[in-house]
Amino acid sequence: MKDKQVEKLIKAEDKRQKSVVNLIASENYVSRDVLAALGSTLTNKYAEGYPGRRYYGGNEIIDKVEQLCIDRALKLFKLKNTDWHVNAQLLSGSPANFALYSALVPLGEKIMGMKLTSGGHLTHGHPLSMTGKLWKPVQFELGGESEVIDYDALMEIAKKEKPAIIVAGFTAYPRTVDFKKFREIADACGAILHVDMSHFAGLVAGGAYPSPFPHADSVMTTTHKSLRGPRQALLFVKKDERGFDKKLDKMVIPGLFGGPHENNIAAVAIALNEASKPEFKKYAKQVVKNAQTLAKELKKLGWHIISGGTDSHLILMDTWMDGAGVSGSDASKKLEKAGIIVNMNTIPGDKRSVMDPSGIRLGTCAETTRGRKEKDMIKIAQKMDKILRGK
Ligand SMILES: *Cc1c(COP(=O)(O)O)cnc(C)c1O
């Protein structure tokens, strides 16, 4: 690199990434091929429009790149192009959810989603997010002692509030989601069922988590979490008489965006192909095994694990324990000093603030990519315990 200033920073970050234990649940390490596509000359090309229908000339190769990405997305999740439509141009998860609501939900109608503090995402109707300002949020929380979704309570809320869309799929929920129950709830009030599988898409691809596709009307995923691709998002909508496919494509361009990032789209295509390999199935299973081992060991050491464990890559850990432990912010700082990177997180029914909540969120996608197994998780849990107890 000629720019030594930036090169030095990139090298330093590369070294940092290699030297820490990364338990950030939304991060992963991409392959060399993904990096190569991201840094390719595809970034030079303007391609407003869609394959075969562009505003600019010179897109005959770019068309093939984007179509390949779309075809691989359908194939990976075992979908037929007669039933599902894919838009591959979404720049990240948040703009993807925004595009979907903009396309399918009239402004001012109700979006029903899980509260941020219970594990939902900002873009599921949080009052500080534009999704909670342009549409009316109907936010639900986790059911009491069990710390899992109370589907009967959701059914009641849905029937009373009659939201136009219900969002299932969360950022800090460790358990499997019953998509069939969500379908019944959506049907009971005539809502669209949108599944945000950003966190667990890689596990779905690897057969380690239930697929939402048999039940959803639309599915969004980021591609940079468990799916192990570049920062980007994919939107899938059902193809039927409602015309969601056409509405979505028109909202993405000209409604919201200009030229797609075709270098990213090529990198997504690579990641989707990598995720279709038998090794990725093994990877996804190992991710879950590692998370379950980490949760079990932390529990054994006396920590409160939300919902008692995990079915995914993600663990929500109560570090505060009603004042007997440390706050989430202190926990994350202490762990970082010892080279373990996590993020602070609210826990269901949290009485502390979002900026210094009662817990931390852990995930095993990144460390599993680096080849870590159960025995490593036990060691990490023991080290975390020592640090948090100040031993
Ligand atoms: C990460 C995430 C998003 C947002 O993705 P960005 O790429 O950070 O904008 C949206 N929804 C869920 C459930 C997520 O986990």
Side-chain angles (χ1 to χ4, degrees), residues 92-95 97 121 123-124 169-171 196 198-199 220 222 224-225:
S92 215
S94 302
N97 276 339
H121 190 260
T123 57
H124 297 178
F170 318 102
T171 67
D196 182 343
S198 292
H199 258 273
M220 192 283 279
T222 55
H224 46 275
K225 298 176 184 175

Side-chain angles (χ1 to χ4, degrees), residues 270-378:
I270 291 172
L272 293 169
N273 189 44
E274 288 172 356
S276 73
K277 303 282 185 233
E279 301 93 89
F280 197 85
K281 275 206 173 65
K282 266 199 215 149
Y283 165 72
K285 294 210 165 72
Q286 190 64 48
V287 164
V288 177
K289 269 196 244 164
N290 282 352
Q292 287 173 339
T293 306
L294 186 58
K296 202 171 140 198
E297 193 63 22
L298 287 166
K299 220 169 128 179
K300 219 164 87 187
L301 291 163
W303 296 96
H304 172 209
I305 301 301
I306 304 306
S307 84
T310 180
D311 306 319
S312 64
H313 63 300
L314 192 150
I315 298 161
L316 201 52
M317 175 179 175
D318 175 359
T319 53
W320 180 242
M321 304 227 295
D322 288 326
V326 292
S327 75
S329 168
D330 282 348
S332 109
K333 281 183 203 138
K334 280 190 171 150
L335 291 167
E336 178 155 6
K337 262 198 204 134
I340 299 175
I341 313 297
V342 305
N343 65 273
M344 57 180 174
N345 217 100
T346 51
I347 59 171
D350 209 322
K351 290 183 192 77
R352 300 179 56 86
S353 75
V354 176
M355 291 319 289
D356 193 9
S358 299
I360 54 176
R361 187 184 67 164
L362 312 171
T364 52
C365 293
E367 287 305 315
T368 308
T369 292
R370 300 169 92 192
R372 303 267 193 270
K373 298 259 165 63
E374 288 94 322
K375 62 177 193 323
D376 305 302
M377 296 301 128
I378 292 172

